[in-house]
Amino acid sequence: MSPNAALALVDDVPAAGLTVASDLLGALTVGAESVYTFPAGMYGFPECRRFALVPAGREGLFWLQSLEHATLIFLLADPFHFFPDYAVELSAGDRAELRVAEAADVAVLCVVTLPRTRGEAPTANVQGPVALNVTAQVGRQLALGAPGLDVRRPLPL
């Protein structure tokens, strides 16, 4: 599922785009199609509710930049690109909170943890992926309980 699908406009983003401060990426100008609202925030950051999704310059990777805090940014990976056997079943509650009308509206991305030591592989949290409704531009971090899912699956980059 690709988060680069056609997206609905966000009312408060100017047509010329929104300039977003990012300590890591510098000043970014993003279009309305890149802005997502997370009503519950991300785990550990409930006060951060608006994010911009930005391609990371490598296939299957994206940045999720907080609009509230320039220091808060997540690297996300398309798990279906890196782990072809990966599958996500959204609960009825998740579908309702994401306002999902059709399965094609949802993109799922995993939060990447970068290694602290050179030579170690980055890992993907396949147990707590981020689900994005690319039509309604609503996001939610999930907590999946299926067996075999872990929070640090080595990411083959």
Side-chain angles (χ1 to χ4, degrees), residues 62-81:
F62 303 87
W63 294 108
L64 189 66
Q65 174 66 56
S66 168
L67 300 186
E68 290 93 358
H69 298 288
T71 58
L72 183 61
I73 188 169
F74 298 94
L75 180 59
L76 304 179
D78 178 349
F80 308 103
H81 178 79

Side-chain angles (χ1 to χ4, degrees), residues 2-154:
S2 171
N4 293 331
L7 307 172
L9 292 178
V10 175
D11 293 337
D12 61 343
V13 177
L18 176 70
T19 300
V20 178
S22 172
D23 285 1
L24 181 66
L25 303 175
L28 302 169
T29 300
V30 297
E33 72 279 0
S34 299
V35 177
Y36 288 83
T37 300
F38 285 66
M42 291 281 286
Y43 292 140
F45 305 94
E47 73 284 359
C48 296
R49 303 227 167 122
R50 292 181 38 131
F51 291 86
L53 185 68
V54 181
R58 184 167 177 180
E59 186 177 358
L61 296 176
F62 303 87
W63 294 108
L64 189 66
Q65 174 66 56
S66 168
L67 300 186
E68 290 93 358
H69 298 288
T71 58
L72 183 61
I73 188 169
F74 298 94
L75 180 59
L76 304 179
D78 178 349
F80 308 103
H81 178 79
F82 295 101
F83 310 115
D85 62 331
Y86 186 67
V88 172
E89 183 74 29
L90 293 178
S91 70
D94 290 333
R95 287 191 307 273
E97 286 194 41
L98 288 166
R99 296 184 270 171
V100 174
E102 298 179 26
D105 292 341
V106 180
V108 175
L109 300 168
C110 292
V111 177
V112 174
T113 300
L114 298 174
R116 294 185 187 268
T117 307
R118 188 177 197 99
E120 291 182 10
T123 59
N125 180 348
V126 296
Q127 188 178 63
V130 173
L132 302 171
N133 180 329
V134 297
T135 302
Q137 292 179 256
V138 176
R140 173 177 171 76
Q141 190 169 12
L142 307 174
L144 305 177
L149 298 178
D150 51 16
V151 296
R152 294 198 181 259
R153 182 178 288 183

